[in-house]
Amino acid sequence: METIAERLKSVQTTIKQSTLKAHRPSNSVKLLAVSKTKPVSDIVQAYEVGQRLFGENYVQEGIEKIQALQDLDDIEWHFIGPLQSNKSRLVATHFDWVETIDRLKIAQRLNDQCPENKKLNICVQVNIDSDPNKAGIKVEELNEFIEAIVIMPNLCLRGLMTIPKGQQSPEQQQHSFGKMADLFNALKLKYPNIDTLSMGMSGDMVHAINNGSTMIRVGTAIFGTRNQTKESNAT
Ligand SMILES: *Cc1c(COP(=O)(O)O)cnc(C)c1O
């Protein structure tokens, strides 16, 4: 069995090699360690070898970990799960980023509930393959949606996020990631401050990096197969 530190190192090597191969700057891809269903002690192991960005999918579980680790105050916490409006205040209060924005009502609530002197970083989730089983804004609706988001004073638009359809061929994956890159580059012309294209997971990070991802979200390849939790069973 490899340790978390060893697996993390191997993911970092993959990132390094893929960015090099894609002729991209070596520091252009960030690694979000997705720790959902994993205990605090796993997060600490990753932290001890330098990992600082962590992603959680379930509100209650995420907040318990954030509170348990509040002394490690240089961790950046990303919420990457589906968000119900009755939990938006908790997320606005405890997380640094929300990557799964796809409804104006939720964005508005997060904006209104954001604590004073805090700005919540957000990514708009795009349903790039028009997959009926996936969350996210339709491509045709993206521009209008973004225009409504950017005027919300307590939210800071950082970019786009996607989860492509599962079970695709490598060619189809490349195609989906390529479409995301086009959307991201077009958006960047209009909003030069955005810097995040969050795409790529354990199984497809190389293709994602090859197509311009600036943040990969990796769970299994770092922490191993996921445990079940009460919350993950419920959703
Ligand atoms: C669980 C999850 C990941 C990590 O997936 P792995 O395949 O375990 O790397 C990435 N992004 C989102 C949105 C997730 O829910």
Side-chain angles (χ1 to χ4, degrees), residues 7-212:
R7 293 207 200 97
L8 197 51
K9 190 141 201 203
S10 120
V11 171
Q12 283 159 350
T13 305
T14 304
I15 295 176
K16 202 176 266 175
Q17 288 170 346
S18 309
T19 44
L20 199 66
K21 219 169 147 189
H23 308 287
R24 300 182 52 196
S26 60
N27 59 354
S28 55
V29 181
K30 290 184 184 166
L31 173 58
L32 182 73
V34 177
S35 43
K36 62 175 176 231
T37 80
K38 296 296 174 181
V40 165
S41 56
D42 283 12
I43 298 177
V44 171
Q45 283 183 52
Y47 181 90
E48 280 172 349
V49 290
Q51 181 63 33
R52 292 294 180 272
L53 275 48
F54 290 90
E56 289 284 338
N57 287 59
Y58 311 105
V59 176
Q60 213 52 52
E61 179 193 324
I63 289 171
E64 279 168 24
K65 294 176 192 174
I66 293 171
Q67 285 174 337
L69 295 170
Q70 58 190 346
D71 290 346
L72 309 181
D73 60 5
D74 54 351
I75 291 186
E76 191 176 277
W77 292 100
H78 292 226
F79 186 76
I80 60 168
L83 181 51
Q84 292 159 351
S85 49
N86 62 347
K87 303 219 172 132
S88 59
R89 183 181 297 277
L90 285 169
V91 169
T93 305
H94 295 280
F95 282 85
D96 303 301
W97 286 60
V98 180
E99 295 201 16
T100 43
I101 301 290
D102 66 353
R103 285 158 62 202
L104 274 183
K105 182 184 164 198
I106 298 278
Q108 192 67 58
R109 286 178 69 97
L110 290 170
N111 178 68
D112 296 346
Q113 296 165 341
C114 194
E116 247 181 276
N117 301 320
K118 172 174 177 178
K119 276 210 176 208
L120 194 60
N121 296 292
I122 60 149
C123 290
V124 171
Q125 183 172 356
V126 179
N127 188 351
I128 195 64
D129 300 312
S130 309
D131 179 347
N133 302 318
K134 288 256 154 35
I137 290 283
K138 293 191 189 117
V139 172
E140 315 83 85
E141 292 167 2
L142 182 61
N143 281 332
E144 202 183 332
F145 188 78
I146 297 267
E147 277 168 24
I149 297 272
V150 289
I151 56 175
M152 297 184 187
N154 302 323
L155 303 185
C156 177
L157 177 69
R158 299 296 294 268
L160 304 178
M161 178 274 210
T162 198
I163 310 171
K165 214 167 167 172
Q167 317 283 322
Q168 296 198 99
S169 69
E171 291 73 27
Q172 285 167 323
Q173 270 178 10
Q174 295 268 16
H175 184 69
S176 305
F177 287 143
K179 280 197 292 185
M180 281 301 297
D182 291 345
L183 290 176
F184 179 65
N185 290 329
L187 204 60
K188 232 176 138 159
L189 292 177
K190 208 164 161 194
Y191 306 104
N193 290 335
I194 67 168
D195 58 5
T196 303
L197 177 55
S198 174
M199 61 185 193
M201 314 198 287
S202 294
D204 55 13
M205 55 181 147
V206 173
H207 290 319
I209 292 171
N210 205 22
N211 284 281

